Amino acid sequence: MLYVLLGEDAPGSLEARISARPAHLSRLEGLRDEGRLLMAGPMPAIDSPDPGPAAFFGSLVVAEFASQGDAERWLAEDPYVKQGVFARITVKPFKKVLP
């Protein structure tokens, strides 16, 4: 089943985000290579593709997991979680309708 994994950035976490990004992307590439990643990306804190020092609201991942518990465990091991980038994380089931 597909799940939405949402991480909301902690205030002042841009440096930690930049530091953890290579390891974070490596894990996402693993999901992609397994054919389980539908989409992933950051959410700028302002209406701009490059928010600069305004940084990011958080990140969104939509991927396939065997269960919600598996998705929660996968997210708990993400470098953004472990290095304190995210102040809050949420995992919810997702049903793709379009396209």
Side-chain angles (χ1 to χ4, degrees), residues 16-80:
R17 174 182 272 275
I18 291 168
S19 173
R21 188 170 189 262
H24 170 75
L25 290 177
S26 178
R27 294 184 83 236
L28 290 172
E29 289 164 352
L31 288 176
R32 178 202 60 205
D33 294 348
E34 294 170 2
R36 297 170 45 204
L37 182 64
L38 184 64
M39 70 172 156
M43 297 177 289
I46 60 173
D47 189 11
S48 171
D50 181 5
F56 296 91
F57 169 78
S59 294
L60 173 78
V61 174
V62 180
E64 184 179 342
F65 292 91
S67 69
Q68 186 165 347
D70 285 350
E72 291 168 349
R73 283 186 288 279
W74 187 91
L75 183 55
E77 292 300 315
D78 190 84
Y80 281 1

Side-chain angles (χ1 to χ4, degrees), residues 1-6 60-63 65 67-69 71-72 75 89-95:
M1 181 167 186
L2 291 172
Y3 293 88
V4 171
L5 288 66
L6 177 65
L60 173 78
V61 174
V62 180
F65 292 91
S67 69
Q68 186 165 347
E72 291 168 349
L75 183 55
I89 57 174
T90 305
V91 175
K92 295 290 183 186
F94 180 77
K95 181 176 177 173

